[in-house]
Amino acid sequence: MNDWPEGWSDDNRGPRYGRGSAGAQPEGARVMRQVRRGPAVPPGPRSAYGDPGPAAPPYGAGVPRQPSYVDGQGHEEGAGYSDYDSGYNTGQVYGGSGGRGPGGTAGAPTRAPRPAPNWRRRIKWTAITLATVLVVTSIATYFWADSKLRREVDLSKVIDRPEGGDGTNYLIVGSDSREGMSKEDEKKLHTGGAEGKRTDSMMILHVGGNGDTLISLPRDSDVVVPSYQGSTSGKTYPAQGRHTKLNATYAEDGPTLLVRTIEANTGLRIDHYVEIGFQGFASIVDAVGGVDITIDKGFKDKWSGADFKAGKQTLNGQQALAFVRTRHAFAASDLQRTKNQQKFLAALAHQVATPSTILNPFTFYPTMGAGLDSLIVDKDMSLWDLGSMFWAMKGVSGGDGTSMNMPISGSVGGNLVWDKAKVKTLVNELNNDEKVTVSGN
């Protein structure tokens, strides 16, 4: 019995799809006998639901034409079923080679090989990026540091100044300012609680082309107070031939009278002024991680809190402050203290300039911040001037310059008297930027 509908036979079933067939369309796409066929619809999208979509692509483009039904068994006469099915179960329906995989279509385009990396171009742009970051960081650091400088001293208020010589002269002052210190800090650092400011250390640093020279001025130096202009009142006070200790002039009218007195008693013009207080000094030492120094002979001093044994050791901020302030423990008193101050400042400059400090941002920025926050400088001081001073101090510590006390000839009433002849020779050599031949005590 024929199971096919009337008028329907294997000859008009059309190509089949699936196992054992060679049709290019699935069985669901066959036109059934029961469905009325309309006129042919041109290929392409239609707007109504159920309309056919794009026409199937024609044979070609690397897709082999499939065998058609001839004998109603899904293969051409003479073609074995097993031959057609071979490769189907493995996914290689179309066979061939040259496609994306083992069963890819012959003649299909292959992926182009990845080009080799252009290392010269990569290195170039890496270098440009690093250089840009370095420049931007340097500029930002410069403006950050420059904004932190406390330019509070106006040297234009100093009257009757001597002519400037060759090189640059810095007056470096260590004051006993307790600015920013709590009562606990004062007790810890043995600073006392006195009001106002005095100076325990004064140094002249000459930076020139024939070696740098660091000269300590003992605080008890006997000087004549010259005429001067009041730093706050603006009033001019005439000279009266009054003798006093050098540090007393600082206590009387601050940095401008101190500069005026040094210039009047030496004939050496001071170009820049730098001052640091107790708290700032200790903070710098702590920020750099302590300073290594060798103490030749141990000493104690209840006034400064010093208690040191002989030998090489690392001093923290509190210990460093005690070391540079001690004078009662020495027979030479203030003269020995100035030598210790020079020795420690040289060691501090060397410690700050080490690669472990400069190249480590976690050490460099806290150290710079602590230093700049605590420094008081003149209004004309630039970062370049401050850097020049720092490197000159480092050079002196490395043996590239001279470190000395102001020449002393004796004492009067407990005040140290300068050797006028030696001082005159020393000032002439500094003004002419000549190598210093004068020795100090």
Side-chain angles (χ1 to χ4, degrees), residues 143-158:
F143 283 104
W144 167 77
D146 188 74
S147 67
K148 295 179 75 67
L149 274 180
R150 299 172 57 185
R151 298 180 173 92
E152 300 176 4
V153 178
D154 188 359
L155 294 182
S156 66
K157 294 183 178 180
V158 180

Side-chain angles (χ1 to χ4, degrees), residues 6 12 35 64 137 171 204 209 229 250 269 299 343 370 372 430:
E6 181 181 356
N12 55 14
V35 179
T137 302
L171 177 60
I204 295 175
Q229 179 178 305
Y250 176 90
R269 185 184 180 96
F299 60 88
K343 181 177 183 178
L372 295 175
L430 295 178

Side-chain angles (χ1 to χ4, degrees), residues 314-328:
T314 300
L315 306 186
N316 60 27
Q318 177 184 349
Q319 295 169 325
L321 188 59
F323 181 79
V324 300
R325 293 183 60 224
T326 298
R327 65 172 179 146
H328 297 286

Side-chain angles (χ1 to χ4, degrees), residues 171-224:
L171 177 60
I172 304 171
V173 174
S175 76
D176 64 356
S177 170
R178 294 155 179 83
E179 180 181 359
M181 295 176 62
S182 64
K183 293 297 182 181
E184 183 179 350
D185 291 333
E186 292 176 357
K187 182 178 180 181
K188 176 182 177 182
L189 298 177
H190 296 269
T191 63
E195 297 294 331
K197 293 197 301 183
R198 286 147 294 277
T199 175
D200 283 337
S201 62
M202 293 158 284
M203 302 178 187
I204 295 175
L205 175 64
H206 174 81
V207 180
N210 286 300
D212 305 318
T213 305
L214 183 63
I215 308 164
S216 288
L217 310 176
R219 54 168 277 175
D220 294 334
S221 296
D222 184 81
V223 293
V224 178

Side-chain angles (χ1 to χ4, degrees), residues 271-323:
D271 299 299
H272 291 293
Y273 178 91
V274 181
E275 177 185 325
I276 186 170
F278 284 160
Q279 183 68 42
F281 180 82
S283 297
I284 293 174
V285 175
D286 286 334
V288 81
V291 175
D292 297 331
I293 194 169
T294 300
I295 299 177
D296 299 326
K297 185 178 180 181
F299 60 88
K300 290 184 178 182
D301 181 20
K302 67 177 183 179
W303 301 101
S304 65
D307 185 3
F308 298 107
K309 291 180 170 51
K312 185 176 181 179
Q313 49 206 287
T314 300
L315 306 186
N316 60 27
Q318 177 184 349
Q319 295 169 325
L321 188 59
F323 181 79

Side-chain angles (χ1 to χ4, degrees), residues 18-355:
R19 182 180 180 92
S21 71
Q25 298 292 332
E27 289 185 350
R30 291 202 306 261
V31 179
M32 303 303 294
R33 174 69 175 175
Q34 294 86 343
V35 179
R36 182 184 300 274
R37 296 185 181 181
V41 179
R46 294 282 299 275
S47 59
Y49 177 79
D51 289 342
Y59 285 102
V63 180
R65 188 177 185 88
Q66 300 301 307
S68 61
Y69 286 93
V70 175
D71 58 358
Q73 301 300 319
H75 55 81
E76 294 182 4
E77 182 122 2
Y81 176 84
S82 61
D83 293 338
Y84 175 74
D85 188 56
S86 63
Y88 183 88
N89 292 331
T90 63
Q92 302 180 20
V93 176
Y94 300 111
S97 62
R100 295 184 179 180
T105 304
T110 58
R111 178 181 296 178
R114 179 177 296 179
N118 189 334
W119 289 108
R120 179 176 296 180
R121 181 184 178 87
R122 290 187 180 184
I123 293 174
K124 172 186 174 181
W125 283 107
T126 300
I128 291 175
T129 301
L130 291 177
T132 302
V133 171
L134 180 61
V135 170
V136 171
T137 302
S138 299
I139 294 175
T141 299
Y142 176 86
F143 283 104
W144 167 77
D146 188 74
S147 67
K148 295 179 75 67
L149 274 180
R150 299 172 57 185
R151 298 180 173 92
E152 300 176 4
V153 178
D154 188 359
L155 294 182
S156 66
K157 294 183 178 180
V158 180
I159 62 175
D160 301 331
R161 309 190 69 185
E163 293 293 328
D166 296 331
T168 304
N169 300 314
Y170 298 85
L171 177 60
I172 304 171
V173 174
S175 76
D176 64 356
S177 170
R178 294 155 179 83
E179 180 181 359
M181 295 176 62
S182 64
K183 293 297 182 181
E184 183 179 350
D185 291 333
E186 292 176 357
K187 182 178 180 181
K188 176 182 177 182
L189 298 177
H190 296 269
T191 63
E195 297 294 331
K197 293 197 301 183
R198 286 147 294 277
T199 175
D200 283 337
S201 62
M202 293 158 284
M203 302 178 187
I204 295 175
L205 175 64
H206 174 81
V207 180
N210 286 300
D212 305 318
T213 305
L214 183 63
I215 308 164
S216 288
L217 310 176
R219 54 168 277 175
D220 294 334
S221 296
D222 184 81
V223 293
V224 178
V225 180
S227 60
Y228 68 95
Q229 179 178 305
S231 59
T232 55
S233 67
K235 180 181 177 180
T236 300
Y237 298 88
Q240 300 176 349
R242 176 167 55 99
H243 285 251
T244 187
K245 293 180 178 181
L246 181 60
N247 71 328
T249 62
Y250 176 90
E252 184 175 335
D253 198 44
T256 53
L257 179 54
L258 177 62
V259 171
R260 168 70 177 133
T261 302
I262 292 174
E263 290 185 344
N265 283 263
T266 62
L268 185 70
R269 185 184 180 96
I270 301 300
D271 299 299
H272 291 293
Y273 178 91
V274 181
E275 177 185 325
I276 186 170
F278 284 160
Q279 183 68 42
F281 180 82
S283 297
I284 293 174
V285 175
D286 286 334
V288 81
V291 175
D292 297 331
I293 194 169
T294 300
I295 299 177
D296 299 326
K297 185 178 180 181
F299 60 88
K300 290 184 178 182
D301 181 20
K302 67 177 183 179
W303 301 101
S304 65
D307 185 3
F308 298 107
K309 291 180 170 51
K312 185 176 181 179
Q313 49 206 287
T314 300
L315 306 186
N316 60 27
Q318 177 184 349
Q319 295 169 325
L321 188 59
F323 181 79
V324 300
R325 293 183 60 224
T326 298
R327 65 172 179 146
H328 297 286
F330 309 123
S333 187
D334 203 39
L335 292 179
Q336 180 60 45
R337 175 166 67 175
T338 57
K339 291 180 180 179
N340 285 346
Q341 290 170 350
Q342 291 179 351
K343 181 177 183 178
F344 185 84
L345 289 179
L348 175 60
H350 178 76
Q351 184 78 15
V352 171
T354 57

